[in-house]
Amino acid sequence: MSQTQVTVPDLGGIDEVEVIEISIKVGDTIEAEQEIIVLESDKATMEVPAPMAGKVAEILVSVGDKVSSGTLVVTLESNSEQASESTEESSNEEPEDKVASPETSKVIDAPTAGAKNNEPINVEIKVPDLGGAGDVEVIELSASIGDNIDAEESLLVLESDKATMEVPAPDSGQLVSFAVKVGDKVNEGDVIGVMSIVSAATTSADSASTPTQTAALEGSASEPNVKEPAQAMKASSESVAEVASTGSVHAGPAVRQLAREMGVDLTQVSGTGPRNRIVKEDVQGFVKTKLKQPVNQGAGLLAGVIGSSEDFSRFGPIEHVPLNKIKQVTAKNMVQSWSTIPQVTQFDEADITDLEGYRKGQMAAMLPEGVKVSPLAFVLKACVLALQKFPNFNASLNLDGTQLITKQYYNLGIAVETPDGLLVPVIKGADKKSLIDFAKDSAELAGKARDKKLPMDGMMGGTFTISSLGGIGGTAFTPIVSAPQVAILGVSKAATKPVWDGEAFKPRLMLPISLSYDHRVIDGAEAARFARYICLLLGDTRHMLL
Ligand code: CAO
């Protein structure tokens, strides 16, 4: 067991920074690279990671303390022989993947055009020194073309795997154009856009001779005509993180990542950290508050449906399309069902080679004119027979979940795609219907649903639902149980497949079915038997006569 003392890494010229978060506590077992404390200067925030795995023996700083490079912050206990070595490495070496501070971008390479005193000149703004990071994503454009921008005001925000950094305007002026958009990947030196600037920096270019009206501004401390020296806040780990103060949002990369994962719009979150910085707890608190809000609060039909409050227009053009009532009700029902029913889907395949031969051949000849029988009619017939054999599937749970209410009537809902959304008309008294009845009824009800002519009770009282996507395609899907029913059968497109008959592979037409069921009511074995039974009936329609 050895002890390792972790110190504040090189702060790149900054004397003192404040400890704003302590992310660990004494006794914690932590991983190498895990964040231990967060430091903040006037301009940037950096997370200090553990140089090695170990157990936290002592924390030597408190939130609010001012620390400098080399200040002892934490003592770690470790079994590793390499403990002290890794600490030394961490404090002496600079990482390859460090990210430079926003200040770096303020360094100005004097323009080369023939600017005259007080005359605006167009200057190209370039991506500053990224401290070795490459292909950094533009996650936000913080200004609009035509905006008058003050020096230091954010133009855009970049984000690498580890850090978010704001690129500020190098000087006051007007934004003429952006050369990048959100989502683009950029590297040091890439042109971000053009600003029209009047300043000492631009006028100092009088003597320059390059015949262009566009000068270049970028970060490089070693270049001549530097307006301000770079103040790179370098740290000895690739986990150094910058905080971007984007408009009213002041949050570090870890917090931004958490917000993205939770679908939280940070502009809606109030920060409780120093200088209103948003910390992880603020994001978690925001989500908790949202979840506690009464489900019917201002949401009308969408009660319980939580969408996104994210401002997608930041990433590209968008349009707000109002959802009609059918879609709103469907959304509500889906959320209700999905969030309250523990549902599982059982997949199976029915060999409908013979059924299809029959359907396309003799049956067509026997049918009255105008009646078309699709495979769906056979599936409906098979379902009602299976429901009679397995009564638990034609049932509902009572309110407190203490009883199963089995129904002695059989009403089959059919999911129908309509221009307004999904409707589920119900074939009542399905146990008394023939195949031809099913063909007629399903065609008639689907037509009425699409023409908005279903009677008021046309979608009520279903005991089991069939959702057929077989006319469209696909190999399988997981339909959502339509509460208070306890099961739903999905039907996908039949396809000819090689099937082993014990001696050889034979081409057989296989119909995929997906049975989703409420696992509170139905066991997996029962579901597998139900699905198998449907396949048996469809595989040999003579079983339907028994
Ligand atoms: N495998 C292969 N072909 C199939 C098939 C299957 N499982 N099911 C139907 N077909 C064929 C039919 O035979 C028909 O072929 P022909 O044009 O050559 O006669 C063609 O596909 C179109 O069938 P259809 O879809 O018009 O008729 P249907 O009786 O099979 O289905 C209905 C009726 C109302 C279920 C269907 O039109 C529909 O709306 N399906 C969408 C349901 C839906 O959206 N479900 C999702 C709910 S969850 O979001």
Side-chain angles (χ1 to χ4, degrees):
M1 180 78 64
S2 64
Q3 285 210 332
T4 302
Q5 293 181 323
V6 182
T7 55
V8 173
D10 175 13
L11 297 173
I14 295 180
D15 288 337
E16 262 192 350
V17 290
E18 189 180 332
V19 178
I20 60 160
E21 268 176 40
I22 295 180
S23 323
I24 44 154
K25 53 186 187 314
V26 172
D28 280 356
T29 302
I30 60 172
E31 303 291 328
E33 292 305 306
Q34 186 176 328
E35 173 189 306
I36 52 175
I37 59 167
V38 183
L39 307 175
E40 190 172 65
S41 72
D42 284 346
K43 299 285 183 190
T45 298
M46 63 183 285
E47 296 170 2
V48 178
M52 46 173 272
K55 194 169 167 189
V56 180
E58 202 180 355
I59 299 173
L60 300 142
V61 289
S62 310
V63 170
D65 283 358
K66 294 279 185 338
V67 294
S68 313
S69 303
T71 305
L72 217 55
V73 285
V74 164
T75 306
L76 289 178
E77 275 176 2
S78 155
N79 288 324
S80 164
E81 294 300 320
Q82 297 158 345
S84 54
E85 281 172 41
S86 58
T87 316
E88 275 170 28
E89 274 170 27
S90 79
S91 57
N92 294 334
E93 283 183 17
E94 285 194 3
E96 286 181 7
D97 195 24
K98 69 184 187 294
V99 176
S101 81
E103 280 78 6
T104 317
S105 64
K106 291 190 294 185
V107 178
I108 298 175
D109 184 10
T112 51
K116 297 197 177 98
N117 270 350
N118 298 325
E119 270 184 24
I121 182 169
N122 281 355
V123 291
E124 277 183 349
I125 316 295
K126 291 189 175 179
V127 175
D129 174 15
L130 296 173
D135 283 342
V136 176
E137 189 174 343
V138 177
I139 61 161
E140 203 168 289
L141 299 181
S142 324
S144 303
I145 291 164
D147 280 359
N148 286 316
I149 296 170
D150 291 333
E152 303 299 314
E153 209 179 305
S154 174
L155 289 173
L156 50 74
V157 182
L158 304 176
E159 188 173 69
S160 72
D161 287 350
K162 300 285 182 187
T164 306
M165 68 179 288
E166 188 179 81
V167 178
D171 216 326
S172 304
Q174 194 178 41
L175 182 62
V176 176
S177 65
F178 267 125
V180 293
K181 58 184 185 316
V182 169
D184 283 356
K185 298 274 170 55
V186 295
N187 291 292
E188 181 184 342
D190 287 354
V191 175
I192 294 165
V194 174
M195 278 185 73
S196 170
I197 286 177
V198 183
S199 78
T202 55
T203 54
S204 74
D206 274 355
S207 58
S209 58
T210 313
T212 169
Q213 277 301 308
T214 302
L217 303 190
E218 66 183 314
S220 168
S222 59
E223 288 179 16
N225 299 318
V226 167
K227 186 184 177 194
E228 275 184 50
Q231 292 180 335
M233 182 169 169
K234 294 171 189 165
S236 59
S237 162
E238 63 178 11
S239 296
V240 172
E242 310 295 337
V243 166
S245 176
T246 310
S248 57
V249 174
H250 187 44
V255 173
R256 284 171 185 274
Q257 166 116 17
L258 178 71
R260 268 202 303 278
E261 283 166 6
M262 298 179 110
V264 170
D265 175 4
L266 280 177
T267 59
Q268 313 239 332
V269 181
S270 311
T272 58
R275 287 182 285 282
N276 300 329
R277 178 174 180 267
I278 299 171
V279 294
K280 284 181 182 172
E281 288 71 23
D282 296 330
V283 177
Q284 286 155 349
F286 178 83
V287 172
K288 273 186 202 153
T289 310
K290 284 276 168 204
L291 288 175
K292 276 187 200 153
Q293 276 172 1
V295 287
N296 59 354
Q297 192 175 308
L301 281 167
L302 277 175
V305 179
I306 301 171
S308 171
S309 60
E310 192 168 343
D311 176 13
F312 299 106
S313 64
R314 291 185 303 144
F315 307 113
I318 58 165
E319 192 188 347
H320 288 262
V321 182
L323 287 179
N324 64 31
K325 284 201 175 164
I326 293 178
K327 294 211 174 201
Q328 292 189 30
V329 170
T330 303
K332 184 181 161 224
N333 291 341
M334 293 296 172
V335 169
Q336 173 76 12
S337 174
W338 186 254
S339 54
T340 57
I341 300 178
Q343 34 197 309
V344 178
T345 305
Q346 171 74 23
F347 301 99
D348 211 330
E349 277 184 326
D351 183 339
I352 60 164
T353 318
D354 298 339
L355 182 156
E356 274 298 89
Y358 176 68
R359 186 180 76 87
K360 287 187 171 155
Q362 291 114 317
M363 201 172 174
M366 294 187 319
L367 287 175
E369 206 159 311
V371 178
K372 196 174 147 190
V373 181
S374 81
L376 180 66
F378 290 84
V379 173
L380 287 163
K381 187 72 185 171
C383 283
V384 78
L385 293 170
L387 291 173
Q388 287 173 315
K389 188 174 169 72
F390 297 88
N392 286 355
F393 287 78
N394 200 56
S396 291
L397 263 185
N398 75 336
L399 190 60
D400 65 5
T402 55
Q403 287 173 13
L404 188 64
I405 304 163
T406 56
K407 300 157 194 169
Q408 273 94 52
Y409 58 92
Y410 300 87
N411 294 342
L412 299 183
I414 320 167
V416 176
E417 181 195 22
T418 79
D420 292 328
L422 186 66
L423 289 177
V424 188
V426 173
I427 298 179
K428 307 257 168 70
D431 50 323
K432 299 176 191 78
K433 303 272 180 187
S434 67
L435 275 171
I436 294 176
D437 292 335
F438 279 127
K440 278 187 191 161
D441 286 6
S442 54
E444 187 185 321
L445 287 174
K448 281 187 179 167
R450 285 171 183 143
D451 296 342
K452 301 183 184 144
K453 291 201 174 122
L454 277 178
M456 284 291 280
D457 65 349
M459 293 192 290
M460 292 163 70
T463 58
F464 182 86
T465 299
I466 290 106
S467 174
S468 174
L469 294 172
I472 301 169
T475 52
F477 65 105
T478 52
I480 296 179
V481 173
S482 174
Q485 296 168 27
V486 293
I488 179 169
L489 189 80
V491 182
S492 297
K493 191 175 181 67
T496 303
K497 293 183 175 176
V499 176
W500 185 252
D501 70 357
E503 291 175 356
F505 282 106
K506 296 276 169 60
R508 306 294 295 176
L509 186 63
M510 304 303 289
L511 178 76
I513 61 169
S514 315
L515 175 73
S516 294
Y517 58 92
D518 184 338
H519 212 334
R520 295 172 302 177
V521 175
I522 295 159
D523 294 335
E526 210 180 351
R529 283 192 198 100
F530 183 91
R532 269 289 76 216
Y533 187 61
I534 287 179
C535 293
L536 175 83
L537 296 173
L538 296 173
D540 186 344
T541 48
R542 288 171 302 183
H543 289 293
M544 293 189 184
L545 304 171
L546 298 176

